[in-house]
Amino acid sequence: MPATRTPRGRRPYRAPRTAVTAAVALLLTAALTVPAAHADPPGLTEDSSPPVRIDPNDPDLRMVQGAKLAPSKVLNIKSIVETDDGSERRQDTNDNVTFSLQAEVLFDKDSAKLSSDALSRIGSIAAEIKKQNATRLRVFGFTDNLGSASHGLVLSKQRANAVQQELAKDLGSSVSFQIRGYGEQYPIADNGTEAGRKKNRRVEVSFPRAS
C-alpha cells in the first residue's frame, strides 16, 4: 500500500498520545483477563485482603497521567497435583489444602460403602493431616448431574459421612469435622462428558494450611 503523502509544509498526522495510551491499556486489560473459576463450596473462600497500603500520591510511584490504582488484593497462588488416571487430586492454595478422591476409587456404583482400596487412600490423607497439624477438617461429597438432584444430595452426604468416619479412626477426638453433601453443585469439570462427570463424582477433604 503506498505511503500517504502530505501537503508540503505540513507534518504527518499522529494520534494523540492519550488515545494511544488508552488503547494500549485496553489491550493489556483484555490480555490479562482470566475466565471466572467455578465457585468454591461454603467454607473454602480464600483471603483476598490487601497485604500493604499503597499511597497513590507517592512521588516515586510513576503512572501514566490520569491513571488510577485499582484496589489491591492478595494473589491466590494455586498448585494442583493429579495422578495420571485422575483418580486423586491435591490442591494447595494460600489458605487451604484440599484432597479430592473420585467416587469410583472409594465406592461401588450408587453405594456409600467404602472399598478396601479406599482405606489405604484415606489413610494417606490422614497422615498428611497429622503432618500439617490440622484440627479443623471439611469433608464434602459431590456427584455428577445424572439422576435426580435429591438423590445426589443424599448419596453425596452419605459418602462424605463414610470418609469422615474412617478419618476419625486415625485422627481421634482432637479433630473437628464439617460434613456436607452438595450433590451436583460445584462441579470441577464438564458434566457434558463422561470424563468430566467422573471427576465431579468425588469426596473432598480440606483443611486450613499450617501457619
Side-chain angles (χ1 to χ4, degrees):
M1 181 177 180
T4 302
R5 302 184 62 182
T6 57
R8 183 174 298 178
R10 295 186 181 180
R11 294 182 180 178
Y13 172 77
R14 293 182 181 179
R17 185 174 182 180
T18 53
V20 174
T21 302
V24 172
L26 285 173
L27 288 173
L28 286 174
T29 301
L32 295 176
T33 300
V34 179
H38 292 294
D40 289 323
L44 291 182
T45 304
E46 301 290 338
D47 181 14
S48 60
S49 57
V52 294
R53 180 178 176 81
I54 300 176
D55 181 6
N57 299 315
D58 190 325
D60 293 327
L61 187 63
R62 300 180 181 226
M63 299 178 64
V64 177
Q65 185 177 7
K68 294 182 180 180
L69 286 175
S72 57
K73 64 179 180 179
V74 174
L75 293 178
N76 187 24
I77 300 174
K78 182 182 293 186
S79 167
I80 298 176
V81 178
E82 192 174 75
T83 56
D84 291 338
D85 61 359
S87 62
E88 188 169 341
R89 183 172 180 261
R90 172 173 175 162
Q91 175 178 298
D92 289 80
T93 65
N94 296 354
D95 297 329
N96 295 292
V97 178
T98 302
F99 289 93
S100 179
L101 297 174
Q102 285 184 5
E104 278 78 356
V105 304
L106 299 175
F107 311 97
D108 289 334
K109 185 177 181 180
D110 205 29
S111 170
K113 183 178 180 180
L114 290 169
S115 65
S116 57
D117 185 41
L119 303 183
S120 61
R121 293 177 183 252
I122 295 173
S124 298
I125 294 177
E128 181 64 18
I129 291 170
K130 292 176 182 177
K131 181 180 176 181
Q132 295 276 349
N133 296 317
T135 58
R136 294 181 292 113
L137 304 182
R138 297 174 289 256
V139 184
F140 295 164
F142 306 87
T143 64
D144 58 27
N145 65 348
L146 299 181
S148 69
S150 58
H151 178 69
L153 285 172
V154 172
L155 181 61
S156 61
K157 177 64 183 309
Q158 291 174 339
R159 288 177 167 177
N161 283 336
V163 172
Q164 180 271 329
Q165 290 167 11
E166 190 61 32
L167 284 171
K169 294 177 183 178
D170 282 340
L171 301 175
S173 59
S174 61
V175 175
S176 62
F177 290 91
Q178 180 185 3
I179 310 164
R180 297 285 187 275
Y182 286 106
E184 64 188 58
Q185 299 179 70
Y186 309 107
I188 59 172
D190 182 9
N191 269 316
T193 66
E194 177 53 28
R197 290 191 293 269
K198 192 173 182 179
K199 286 189 174 185
N200 291 333
R201 298 190 294 264
R202 69 197 190 278
V203 175
E204 292 185 355
V205 179
S206 62
F207 50 89
R209 291 187 62 83
S211 57

